[in-house]
Amino acid sequence: MSDQVISAGGRAWVSGVRDAIPLLGGYIPVAVSFGLIANQAGFSSWEAIIISLVIYAGASQFLFVGMVASGAPLWLVVVMTLLINARHLVYAPNLAPWLTGNRWWFWLMHGLTDQVFALAHTRLPALPSSERLGWFTGAMLLAWFSWVGGTALGAFAGQELTGRWPLLNDVMPFALPALFVVLLAPRFTSWLWAAALGCAIVVALLFAANGLPNMAIPVAALLGAAVFFVMQSNTRAEV
Amino acid sequence: MAGELWVAVMVAAAGTLLMRLLPLVWMQRRLAREDSQGGTAAMPRWLGVLGPVMIAAMLGASLVPAAGTLNAWVATAVGGCVTLLVWWKTKSLGWPVVSGVVVFGVVRFLNFVVI
């Protein structure tokens, strides 16, 4: 991928759908797991599907059904769900320079998940402004529908699926780190960026490997940004 | 699902949507204001840095394999290297991901066959 403007040839939404296909490998197995776990936590299949449809935020949905099942107060369930999703606050402002004035963008923000943000942050600057809305609509809808569809699959047939193809369930989620590698590789343009991004990767890996996946992203991102600004100010001071 | 549980779902859903939406409104107004004042409309520098490091953090968190075995870690490392290599050769989005997943799957499958 390059930063030059590339037209999708008048079918921007198809281009968005095509670019979002790698997300399915990560979304569907996790959504199947969510459907299965929600069922085991006492939610009906339709309730699990509605939660995926309206909340649409992976980690926080697992927390939501887990806390409800354990009998936690509902106000605390809501607060914890929103706290986990607080990282989403910085996504839309990062995309704002490439979004047009169309009012549809506001509704499309429902689909601004971690992975859709990562994809859009790389692809939107490379598209002509007339194609960005269509591209984002295609990418966002495919990701959303795959999440809801995966939840339905898990809720109605999760146990049978994971029992029959255990390896598939293990392998497909690797599509997400593979996608992030591809999205991130072009950003290693200097030692400054390499240090900041490398720090964020290692810190998030350590947090997640030690059972703190929800803290991993915000803490690692803040440390990565701190490394960037500290190194930048040191370089300026030396000059 | 009881009535109050539905309310909790809807409040969580509305709160999540607002966290994704309101910062966009704020940033669009800020950019429009700077533009109308004749200045160059630009994102704050910290926000421009935070975007890529967030993606890097997502990569780090997603690298931890669900299985947690040595084979799963080896498969992650080999799959990641192949993904990077194919990206280096093709500079495309799809092929590196497909190659990485296939190689990851082969290493995991070998573990199942050997053991």
Side-chain angles (χ1 to χ4, degrees), chain A residues 214-231:
Chain A
N214 293 324
M215 284 180 68
I217 293 175
V219 172
L222 286 175
L223 283 173
V227 165
F228 182 93
F229 286 114
V230 168
M231 282 185 67

Side-chain angles (χ1 to χ4, degrees), chain A residues 1 19 47 54 56 74 82 85 88-89 91-94 96 99 106 109-110 112 114 167 170 201 204 221 228, chain B residues 1 5 13 16 19-21 23-24 27 43 45 47 53-54 56-58 60 62 80 83 91 93 104 108 112:
Chain A
M1 272 179 295
D19 285 348
E47 286 165 354
V54 298
Y56 186 37
L74 285 179
L82 295 179
N85 293 338
H88 293 182
L89 284 166
Y91 292 166
N94 259 286
L99 306 190
F106 296 139
M109 288 300 105
H110 176 58
L112 192 63
D114 299 327
L167 190 61
D170 181 67
I201 292 170
F228 182 93
Chain B
M1 198 154 58
L5 199 50
T16 303
M19 281 195 287
R20 290 167 174 166
L21 169 62
L24 174 66
M27 180 53 79
M43 272 196 304
R45 181 70 177 136
L47 207 50
V53 292
M54 288 289 272
M58 288 178 217
S62 67
T83 304
K91 295 286 191 292
L93 185 72
F104 177 88
R108 293 291 290 140
F112 276 77

Side-chain angles (χ1 to χ4, degrees), chain A residues 75-130:
Chain A
W75 66 266
L76 188 62
V77 175
V78 172
V79 168
M80 291 305 292
T81 303
L82 295 179
L83 269 179
I84 285 188
N85 293 338
R87 66 185 184 280
H88 293 182
L89 284 166
V90 301
Y91 292 166
N94 259 286
L95 300 180
W98 298 288
L99 306 190
T100 53
N102 195 308
R103 292 269 163 193
W104 275 109
W105 282 112
F106 296 139
W107 296 109
L108 291 172
M109 288 300 105
H110 176 58
L112 192 63
T113 59
D114 299 327
Q115 297 77 14
V116 170
F117 162 70
L119 194 61
H121 194 255
T122 305
R123 292 292 287 136
L124 284 179
L127 290 171
S129 60
S130 60

